[in-house]
């Protein structure tokens, strides 16, 4: 039979058991022994489940208390000095947690390590920190214990570890100013590889046949020195009879495929969902003895696979490769929810279209039966059900809406180009009459326990629509009066009615569905529940107009309408796979456009469309950036097409690297952009300065992620720095993101100080 295996299973548990246990431990409510026990139970449950699905090799090493890269960094003993960890001691759990989040039940608090996105996913890993004289040693044995645990329990274990080159690529350090690509990091290999050799020797001693070494950097643009390093590194990792499966995913190898030429590994795993076209090129590099693991069940999405179609692709390969062909999901299943079973809120039809991690393993087993021509009655029944589901999905009137098709057909007639900015801003200023250095906030105000309870009670039916509306209106009024009292210039309604900036809109749009338990780990104990875009997106009714109109009726100052942009909604959802992402995004843009026009008609003078996710949608390869940016920017412009010159469009982005996409940001042509720069002392404005960014900018003057109150002089200083780089008349004064995670006392003080800073600037 063809070997089937899995690259990793979600560790959080179907009911987010790991999250609960870890958070209780942090809060001092759960002893460490009980936490360890929860981890053990989750691992053994997930191994059993994978074995029951017929997998030949069970991954071990996919479990992590916070993050798998952090686990590995601790195993390597690469603990930054500020955590004051004894140079010979094992890295314990609390040290790991202090690295992740700055504190733990035991040990001195210290600044947490940086966290960033794992390739093009929404998962965040803890960035390894290194220095030129970095030493490494085997300093944490949790992985080896887990392997022993699984071997003991009788599983055919395949340990999964991060590759040395990927780990180094992800690592940062003050000395390494080039960032990821810095070739000087490769000088650490002689120190690093002995630990890898030691670990592999111990793995072999546990009776293991295969180890999976992940090198996802093979899917990104690699400088030649990094590519050239592979051969030496993997030669040095050969370890007796232990076989290495080198795993890549998230994109094709493309120009990195030459790395495989003569590479001393026993097998290679590739992502044939993202890049099916690479199969031939990869095969051409492999010898007859090497295994090709084809990742063909999508590990990044939640739709049932067309197994007949996939089997057609695999059968000729099987005929040629025989037992050297393995099949697997495209990447670790970390990026999908655990189990669709029990999702009672979904109707039966939609339910039948979905496949979460547990279902994907079943699919893998059925696929093998197809490829091996060993379909028995049970599998046939399962395949029949799957075929039926796919058919209903392809033919469903719910996925194709003629109203949407008609709107999409008229896309070319929309007026995306607005009048020149100078004309617009003059018209807007005549209407808004704002002072120099106008002050505003990003949208949300503190979401107190009371507000959360209000929404909960309304959802559960404990609170009537009328009562709920009355309470939200009262909250809006409080927020408006507060902003008037502290003398802000452009107000917001506060977003008290929103639990989440995508979910709120998704629930009001046609084509979206929501699960009750479809959690995916985002970072550490934090999980998100991405909406599912299953059909054509249509706005059925206004979504924000009544709240915005009410807020505006309370004051003579302008109140911003507040929307989430099309790209951000796309990026933070599971997106249908039966049409291009660009097409789905255009539908979202059209739906938002309706809202923008209704807001405009209701007399809302300023509309903010948040696009915090536009940058994270960038493809892994630079060669693909332009195509993406073109449709992403176009979608923003679709949502603001055909509006009046004197309607002011704001956008907000809360990431900090603008340099490489500044042209696209300018092409969005928002009248005002508010961004994060306070943490870098305005250095991030450099891109806007060099590019001569023409429109208005609000560089965040304080970091809302910290409870600290910034002082007035410091904010004035920051704005003066900004004014050296950009024309003062183009500048706005605002915090760097929404305030929903903050408390009222610090928000009040910080904003009062910010307004005072703006007034001081106006006098100068
Ligand atoms: N308007 C949103 C808020 O203020 C923006 C959130 C974000 O940038 N992620 O909360
Ligand atoms: Zn933000």
């Amino acid at each position: 039979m063809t070997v089937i295996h899995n690259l990793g299973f979600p560790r959080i548990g179907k009911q987010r058991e790991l999250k609960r246990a870890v958070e209780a431990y942090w809060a001092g409510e759960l002893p460490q022994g009980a936490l360890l026990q929860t981890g053990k139970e989750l691992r053994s449950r997930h191994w059993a489940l994978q074995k029951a699905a017929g997998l030949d090799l069970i991954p071990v090493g996919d479990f992590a208390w916070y993050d798998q890269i952090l686990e590995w960094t601790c195993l390597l003993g690469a603990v930054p000095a500020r955590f004051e960890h004894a140079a010979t001691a094992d890295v314990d759990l609390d040290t790991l947690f202090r690295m992740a989040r700055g504190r733990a039940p035991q040990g001195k608090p210290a600044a947490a390590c940086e966290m960033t996105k794992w390739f093009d996913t929404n998962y965040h890993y803890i960035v390894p920190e290194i220095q030129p004289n970095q030493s490494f040693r085997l300093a944490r044995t949790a992985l080896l214990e887990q392997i022993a645990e699984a071997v003991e329990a009788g599983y055919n274990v395949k340990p999964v570890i991060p590759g040395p080159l990927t780990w180094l690529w992800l690592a940062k350090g003050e000395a390494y100013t080039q960032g990821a690509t810095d070739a000087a990091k490769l000088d650490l290999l002689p120190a690093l590889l002995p630990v890898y050799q030691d670990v592999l020797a111990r793995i072999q001693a546990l009776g293991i046949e295969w180890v999976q070494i992940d090198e996802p950097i093979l899917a990104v643009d690699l400088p030649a020195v990094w590519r050239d390093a592979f051969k030496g590194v993997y030669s040095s990792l050969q370890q007796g009879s232990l076989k290495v499966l080198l795993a890549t995913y998230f994109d094709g190898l493309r120009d990195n495929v030459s790395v495989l030429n003569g590479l001393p590994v026993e097998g290679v795993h590739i992502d044939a969902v993202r890049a099916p076209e690479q199969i031939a090129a990869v095969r051409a590099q492999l010898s007859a003895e090497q295994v090709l693991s084809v990742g063909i069940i999508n590990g990044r999405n939640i739709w049932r696979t067309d197994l007949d179609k996939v089997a057609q692709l695999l059968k000729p390969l099987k005929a040629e490769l025989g037992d050297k062909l393995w099949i697997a999901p495209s990447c670790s299943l970390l990026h999908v929810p655990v189990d669709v079973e029990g999702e009672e809120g979904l109707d039966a039809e939609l339910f039948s279209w979905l496949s979460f991690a547990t279902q994907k393993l079943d699919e893998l087993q059925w696929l093998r039966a197809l490829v091996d021509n060993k379909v028995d009655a049970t599998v046939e029944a399962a395949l029949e059900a799957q075929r039926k589901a796919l058919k209903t999905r392809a033919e469903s009137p719910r996925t194709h809406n003629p109203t949407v098709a008609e709107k999409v057909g008229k896309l070319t007639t929309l007026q995306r180009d607005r009048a020149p900015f100078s004309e617009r801003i003059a018209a807007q200023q005549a209407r808004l009459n704002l002072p120099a250095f106008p002050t505003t906030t990003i949208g949300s105000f503190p979401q107190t326990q009371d507000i959360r309870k209000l929404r909960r009670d309304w959802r559960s039916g404990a609170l009537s629509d009328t009562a709920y509306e009355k309470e939200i209106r009262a909250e809006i009024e409080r927020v408006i009066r507060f902003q008037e009292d502290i003398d802000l210039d452009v107000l917001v309604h506060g977003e008290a009615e929103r639990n989440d900036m995508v979910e709120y809109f998704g629930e009001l749009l046609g084509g979206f569905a929501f699960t009750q338990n479809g959690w995916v780990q985002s970072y550490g104990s934090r999980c998100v529940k991405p909406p599912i875009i299953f059909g054509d997106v249509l706005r059925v009714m206004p979504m924000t107009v009544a709240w915005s109109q009410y807020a505006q009726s309370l004051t003579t100052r302008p109140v911003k309408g507040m929307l989430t942009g099309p790209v951000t909604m796309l990026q933070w959802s599971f997106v249908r796979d039966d049409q291009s992402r660009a097409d789905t995004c255009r539908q979202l843009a059209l739906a938002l456009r309706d809202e923008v026009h209704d807001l405009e008609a209701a007399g809302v003078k300023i509309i903010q469309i948040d696009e915090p996710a536009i940058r994270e949608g960038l493809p892994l390869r630079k060669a693909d950036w332009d195509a993406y940016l073109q449709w992403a920017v176009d979608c923003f412009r679709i949502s603001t097409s055909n509006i009046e010159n004197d309607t002011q469009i704001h956008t907000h982005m809360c990431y900090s690297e603008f340099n490489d996409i500044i042209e696209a940001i300018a092409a969005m042509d928002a009248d005002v952009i508010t961004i994060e720069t306070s943490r870098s002392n305005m250095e991030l404005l450099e891109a806007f300065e060099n590019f001569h960014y023409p429109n208005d900018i609000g560089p965040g003057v304080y970091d809302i992620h910290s409870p600290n109150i910034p002082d007035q002089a410091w904010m004035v200083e920051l704005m003066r720095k900004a004014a050296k780089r950009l024309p003062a008349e183009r500048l706005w004064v605002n915090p760097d993101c929404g305030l929903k995670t903050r408390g009222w006392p610090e928000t009040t003080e910080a904003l009062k100080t910010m307004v005072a800073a703006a007034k001081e600037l106006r006098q100068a």
Side-chain angles (χ1 to χ4, degrees), residues 442-444 495 501 562 572 608 610 612 652 654 737-740:
I442 306 305
S444 56
E495 302 182 28
M501 64 189 288
M562 193 60 62
W572 292 350
Q608 178 172 315
D610 292 325
H652 165 70
C654 39
C737 198
L739 296 158
K740 65 171 166 241

Side-chain angles (χ1 to χ4, degrees), residues 683-695:
E683 267 164 36
L684 295 163
L685 284 183
E686 210 176 307
F688 289 84
E689 180 190 19
N690 295 341
F691 183 76
H692 297 291
Y693 183 82
N695 302 5

Side-chain angles (χ1 to χ4, degrees), residues 387-409:
R387 287 179 190 122
K388 220 178 106 206
L390 288 172
K391 189 156 180 287
T392 64
R393 188 174 162 217
E395 292 168 1
S396 169
R398 299 164 72 189
T399 59
H400 295 284
N401 183 325
T403 317
V404 176
E406 198 193 310
K407 278 174 167 284
V408 169

Side-chain angles (χ1 to χ4, degrees), residues 8-19:
F9 195 82
R11 47 191 166 248
I12 52 172
K14 189 171 173 176
Q15 308 293 334
R16 288 180 296 161
E17 293 89 332
L18 188 59
K19 170 197 177 70

Side-chain angles (χ1 to χ4, degrees), residues 225-245:
V225 274
W226 285 85
R227 254 188 239 159
D228 296 344
F230 273 81
K231 193 155 285 166
V233 164
Y234 281 83
S235 301
S236 82
L237 294 187
Q238 285 180 301
Q239 184 66 238
S241 60
L242 188 65
K243 297 177 183 158
V244 171
L245 178 74

